[in-house]
Amino acid sequence: MSTVNTVLEAGTYFVAVNGYEGIGNFAFAYYESSIDADYEINDYFNAANEVALSTNLVGVIDNPNDFDYYKFTISQPTIMRYSITNTNDYVLAYAGSTGSAPIIIDGNMIKVQPGIYYFAVYSPTGTYDSDTSYTVNFKKIGEYADESIVPLRAIHESSGIVFQTNVLGTKYYVNGNAIDISYSYQFSANNSGGSQNYNISLQSMDGMRCQIWNEEVQGPDVVYYHSSTRPYINVGSKNLLRLMFYTDFRCF
């Protein structure tokens, strides 16, 4: 029989009893903080905490053999990034899934198929500190389309955009959604100040290309001005339509 004597501050305290078959010396453990009590129910794969994507989660490693498991559910093919912030040497690692294993894109940026995915936080060197917490995050960047249709991909992480095209640049998707640039707008009005008539249209044409620059396929080489019912400015006898394109994509 053993006893524990200590002076307790006002508050709520949590104790746990765990047993296994065998002989030897046994120890009595207690949770030192509410952070411990809130998160130490996830020390086993089957007890992983369900987490929301793009949300910070706080936990602690309170013994050398502590593993904290987390899981999240993916319903559409998704590109995401997982991260851990801590002052110790804790690691956030893939621990299994009910679907296909994640495919690494760049470091801890991965693409995943629909399924449930499990990750674990642990200390590879046995370092632990119940007074120091860690923060993990599973960030959804964007969904993606079938890569057999649009195999070229560019990612703008801070904007949450995944852009895809085929080799010819004739098909393009943003976050798994096919882009149709066709657009039309008509407007007419008359008043004492005069009249206004707008007839603006954009149509996808066979010669239109929208590609990701890479070593093998480069384009478009030429932008041809056809006409405009509302020019940006007149240059000589020609209407000028100003076209602007800016990108800060990371291509993989």
Side-chain angles (χ1 to χ4, degrees):
M1 179 176 179
S2 63
T3 60
V4 176
N5 295 315
T6 186
V7 177
L8 300 178
E9 300 291 339
T12 303
Y13 294 83
F14 303 84
V15 298
V17 177
N18 191 18
Y20 59 90
E21 183 177 348
I23 60 174
N25 296 322
F26 296 87
F28 180 80
Y30 63 95
Y31 293 131
E32 295 186 25
S33 68
S34 60
I35 295 178
D36 254 8
D38 290 342
Y39 287 93
E40 289 312 304
I41 60 173
N42 65 344
D43 284 353
Y44 305 95
F45 183 88
N46 292 331
N49 280 345
E50 181 79 35
V51 301
L53 297 183
S54 302
T55 301
N56 287 332
L57 302 156
V58 178
V60 297
I61 297 296
D62 65 356
N63 70 74
N65 301 312
D66 191 10
F67 281 75
D68 291 347
Y69 288 90
Y70 300 93
K71 68 179 180 179
F72 54 84
T73 302
I74 296 296
S75 58
Q76 297 292 331
T78 300
I79 291 176
M80 58 185 300
R81 183 182 295 279
Y82 63 93
S83 63
I84 181 170
T85 303
N86 68 100
T87 57
N88 295 308
D89 59 353
Y90 303 155
V91 172
L92 175 62
Y94 170 65
S97 68
T98 61
S100 303
I103 296 176
I104 299 174
I105 299 177
D106 176 34
N108 59 349
M109 182 185 291
I110 57 175
K111 63 178 184 178
V112 290
Q113 292 290 329
I116 301 175
Y117 290 84
Y118 296 81
F119 281 75
V121 177
Y122 69 98
S123 172
T125 61
T127 302
Y128 68 97
D129 184 353
S130 60
D131 294 324
T132 303
S133 62
Y134 63 80
T135 301
V136 296
N137 186 283
F138 302 93
K139 177 185 177 182
K140 177 181 178 179
I141 297 174
E143 297 175 359
Y144 65 94
D146 186 346
E147 292 180 311
S148 66
I149 300 174
V150 279
L152 304 181
R153 177 181 62 233
I155 299 171
H156 193 277
E157 186 172 350
S158 61
S159 300
I161 295 174
V162 177
F163 175 76
Q164 293 172 268
T165 69
N166 60 355
V167 174
L168 296 176
T170 55
K171 295 181 180 180
Y172 17 93
Y173 288 68
V174 172
N175 291 351
N177 299 301
I179 301 303
D180 180 5
I181 68 166
S182 301
Y183 172 79
S184 63
Y185 174 72
Q186 292 83 33
F187 175 79
S188 297
N190 294 277
N191 52 42
S192 59
S195 62
Q196 300 177 66
N197 296 285
Y198 300 103
N199 185 2
I200 302 172
S201 65
L202 294 174
Q203 294 182 345
S204 180
M205 303 175 66
D206 292 339
M208 181 172 290
R209 297 289 185 270
C210 185
Q211 289 178 293
I212 298 170
W213 187 278
N214 62 63
E215 295 180 357
E216 298 179 357
V217 180
Q218 301 174 354
D221 296 325
V222 176
V223 175
Y224 171 72
Y225 172 76
H226 184 270
S227 62
S228 171
T229 60
R230 185 159 177 80
Y232 169 67
I233 195 173
N234 290 324
V235 178
S237 61
K238 293 285 188 178
N239 294 330
L240 175 65
L241 178 66
R242 184 169 67 170
L243 301 177
M244 294 186 298
F245 180 76
Y246 171 77
T247 181
D248 185 25
F249 282 103
R250 299 180 63 190
C251 298
F252 300 94

